[in-house]
Amino acid sequence: MPAPKVGAVTFLTVFGSFALAGQGLGQVPAGVAPAAGPRLELNYQSRFELDTNPRLEPDEQDLTFQSIHSLGIALLSETRLQNIALRFGTDLRMPQSDGSDGSLTEPTFRLTYGRAVRNAAVSLNANYRRRQIEFLEPFFLDEDEDTIIDEAGFSQSDGYLTEYGFGAALETGLERPLGMAYSLDYRARSYTDNDDPSLQDSEIYSASVTSTLRFSEISSGRVSLSTRQAEYTGTTDEREEEYRLSLGYSRALSETFEFDTSVGASRSTQEVEDAGGDASSETTGLTADFSFIKTVPDGTWFGGIDRRLSDGEFRTDLSFGRSLELRDASLRAQMGLTRGEDGEAQTTFALTYTRDLRDGAFRAAVRRGVTVDTLDEEELLTAVDMTYSKEITPLSSVSLSLDVAQIEETTADDQQDLTEAALTASLSRSITPDWDMTFGYRGRVNIEDDEDAFSNSVFVTIGRSFTFRR
């Protein structure tokens, strides 16, 4: 199954996809961090695991023992005007899957910096990570603790995946009638020593400039110019260039109702080189969107309609949703439709429910969205994740989690479906104030082309965190 284009995921079900109140591309939040002195954090964890099928290969049952020793170092500093975080990490995996001795793997580096003053704000970020493809997981948590699906995690290829990038954003005129926002971003993804033709290297450059004119405290207008250039290399080489110009207006009609609208034009060019020859195409047209949010005593209503240029074709999205805040729980639901020029209308949805229990917590989420793979074919991605945790004693707790992802090709002649699921149960206990131990079980299943692969594993982890303050 072809891998998705990096940055091509069009999850209409991602909450907050409609920007309100005249937010420009790449804007930096103007909030000021609370004062906190510099500190050094050290995190150590060792994981010992027995797995019957580590690579989830069909008809494979080979009991394998492996230990992973992880070390993370973070230098953090927060003041009233700025914050900086510098993080390093690496793993020692013993032994390697080929039977060789253990070696340091997965080096990770990440830098974030932000500074905000009365009338301006700036942010910088940089990151680097190198991982072994055979150990990639299709499910991982983002910074907001939401489960994200990475299709590269379905690959059973050898080799390495290297990801790196940097970004910068500057915003001025935060408290003036005229404000400016600038952003620059670069992301790269490279595969080495692998034999999976569906995995493509990618480089994506993007930049934007947005000017915001505040007519009053309740209304503003904006002009935005942005560009995006992407290169994909592999069995098929592809280059994309996009340019977008838009005019927007936002207004608060009352204390409880706001809307945002914009119109613009987009232009995209694509060049493809493969064994069959070279091909190029150009797409130009108008874009528009409208979104609103209505605040009610127990939450919000929100929705919108959007026509945009995505992956060389115009796509129209329609979405409507409700968020509900209860005393000990929250519910957010969203339904929508999406349709590309050359495809059929697809239903999208998202539902998230969280509840704080007296001695634990519960969270359940399901979402369905559309991705575009390297062959510019639509794929439907349905994901389910559930977590439950319960405190047994002040020093121990149990947790249960379930993750399921299904990918369905909608336009390919030889349609292929791929499903993977993981169930994890664990018991954690604090040995000392800063030493923790966890015992657990994890079961996984992978279904592709009617071929099933199963894995059962038990694991023990022990870790400690240190914090040193100035």
Side-chain angles (χ1 to χ4, degrees):
M1 176 175 291
K5 293 183 181 179
V6 177
V9 176
T10 58
F11 270 131
L12 304 179
T13 55
V14 173
F15 298 138
S17 58
F18 298 102
L20 294 175
Q23 294 179 348
L25 293 173
Q27 289 185 340
V28 183
V32 177
R39 65 187 186 275
L40 172 65
E41 294 183 356
L42 299 177
N43 296 285
Y44 168 79
Q45 184 184 84
S46 288
R47 179 185 177 101
F48 305 91
E49 185 171 15
L50 278 171
D51 197 324
T52 60
N53 188 3
R55 298 184 61 166
L56 267 184
E57 296 178 325
D59 302 324
E60 286 287 336
Q61 291 294 318
D62 183 15
L63 188 63
T64 302
F65 170 78
Q66 194 172 70
S67 65
I68 306 172
H69 309 275
S70 304
L71 176 65
I73 303 174
L75 300 173
L76 309 172
S77 177
E78 299 176 358
T79 68
R80 294 181 58 85
L81 296 180
Q82 68 180 19
N83 61 80
I84 184 171
L86 185 62
R87 303 178 186 275
F88 304 90
T90 188
D91 291 347
L92 174 62
R93 193 180 296 271
M94 304 174 61
Q96 296 284 56
S97 59
D98 59 3
S100 61
D101 295 336
S103 63
L104 291 176
T105 62
E106 299 196 16
T108 302
F109 163 80
R110 184 174 183 183
L111 168 68
T112 58
Y113 171 79
R115 180 177 177 85
V117 293
R118 180 177 180 181
N119 202 45
V122 64
S123 70
L124 303 171
N125 69 81
N127 67 279
Y128 173 88
R129 189 177 186 182
R130 187 171 186 261
R131 295 178 290 168
Q132 289 181 263
I133 298 173
E134 64 178 298
F135 298 116
L136 291 180
E137 293 284 353
F139 315 104
F140 68 94
L141 296 179
D142 65 6
E143 295 178 348
D144 298 322
E145 298 299 312
D146 290 329
T147 301
I148 305 298
I149 307 300
D150 184 357
E151 286 191 56
F154 292 110
S155 175
Q156 298 174 344
S157 171
D158 294 320
Y160 297 87
L161 166 61
T162 303
E163 299 169 289
Y164 53 94
F166 63 85
L170 171 66
E171 188 176 3
T172 62
L174 297 177
E175 300 182 2
R176 293 178 180 174
L178 180 63
M180 297 294 297
Y182 310 87
S183 72
L184 177 67
D185 190 77
Y186 169 77
R187 303 295 162 191
R189 194 174 174 111
S190 174
Y191 298 93
T192 55
D193 301 330
N194 80 91
D195 53 6
D196 189 337
S198 70
L199 301 180
Q200 287 192 311
D201 298 347
S202 64
E203 288 186 285
I204 301 176
Y205 309 80
S206 60
S208 68
V209 178
T210 301
S211 176
T212 302
L213 179 60
R214 301 174 181 90
F215 304 116
S216 66
E217 293 183 356
I218 63 172
S219 65
S220 64
R222 66 186 181 277
V223 179
S224 178
L225 176 65
S226 63
T227 181
R228 176 181 179 273
Q229 298 185 17
E231 295 184 5
Y232 305 96
T233 57
T235 54
T236 299
D237 296 341
E238 184 174 348
R239 177 180 175 85
E240 300 177 357
E241 291 186 2
E242 295 181 7
Y243 299 91
R244 303 177 183 181
L245 173 65
S246 66
L247 305 176
Y249 176 76
S250 64
R251 183 178 179 86
L253 296 180
S254 67
E255 293 183 354
T256 61
F257 187 86
E258 303 176 36
F259 77 88
D260 181 271
T261 185
S262 69
V263 295
S266 296
R267 176 177 177 269
S268 172
T269 59
Q270 292 182 306
E271 299 177 359
V272 179
E273 299 179 7
D274 57 21
D278 301 344
S280 62
S281 62
E282 179 176 320
T283 306
T284 304
L286 299 178
T287 60
D289 73 82
F290 174 83
S291 59
F292 74 90
I293 182 169
K294 169 68 174 178
T295 303
V296 293
D298 58 355
T300 60
W301 293 91
F302 57 92
I305 185 170
D306 174 35
R307 183 179 189 266
R308 71 189 191 282
L309 183 62
S310 175
D311 298 299
E313 70 170 3
F314 282 94
R315 177 173 292 276
T316 301
D317 306 323
L318 176 66
S319 180
F320 185 75
R322 174 77 158 96
S323 67
L324 184 63
E325 297 295 333
L326 305 175
R327 186 179 64 177
D328 297 322
S330 64
L331 175 68
R332 190 176 179 98
Q334 181 173 325
M335 287 288 295
L337 292 172
T338 179
R339 184 181 184 276
E341 287 184 319
D342 301 327
E344 299 179 354
Q346 302 290 347
T347 301
T348 62
F349 58 81
L351 177 66
T352 300
Y353 175 76
T354 59
R355 183 176 181 84
D356 294 326
L357 306 176
R358 184 175 61 87
D359 53 0
F362 174 77
R363 180 184 185 277
V366 57
R367 64 188 186 276
R368 177 185 173 97
V370 176
T371 69
V372 179
D373 64 20
T374 53
L375 300 179
D376 292 330
E377 295 173 344
E378 285 188 355
E379 294 178 339
L380 289 178
L381 176 56
T382 304
V384 177
D385 64 270
M386 301 176 62
T387 58
Y388 170 76
S389 61
K390 178 180 175 60
E391 183 181 281
I392 302 176
T393 70
L395 298 178
S396 60
S397 63
V398 295
S399 65
L400 183 68
S401 67
L402 172 67
D403 293 296
V404 182
Q406 182 182 51
I407 301 172
E408 306 169 69
E409 292 186 351
T410 62
T411 56
D413 294 333
D414 53 341
Q415 179 172 335
Q416 297 179 350
D417 295 344
L418 174 63
T419 302
E420 184 156 330
L423 173 67
T424 305
S426 63
L427 168 66
S428 300
R429 180 176 176 81
S430 297
I431 305 175
T432 68
D434 49 9
W435 279 97
D436 298 302
M437 177 175 285
T438 300
F439 303 87
Y441 161 82
R442 183 175 68 157
R444 295 180 296 155
V445 58
N446 179 288
I447 303 173
E448 182 177 7
D449 298 337
D450 298 327
E451 291 185 338
D452 300 347
F454 299 93
S455 167
N456 295 283
S457 65
V458 292
F459 61 88
V460 177
T461 66
I462 184 171
R464 184 178 184 182
S465 299
F466 308 81
T467 300
F468 304 94
R469 297 185 180 272
R470 181 177 176 179

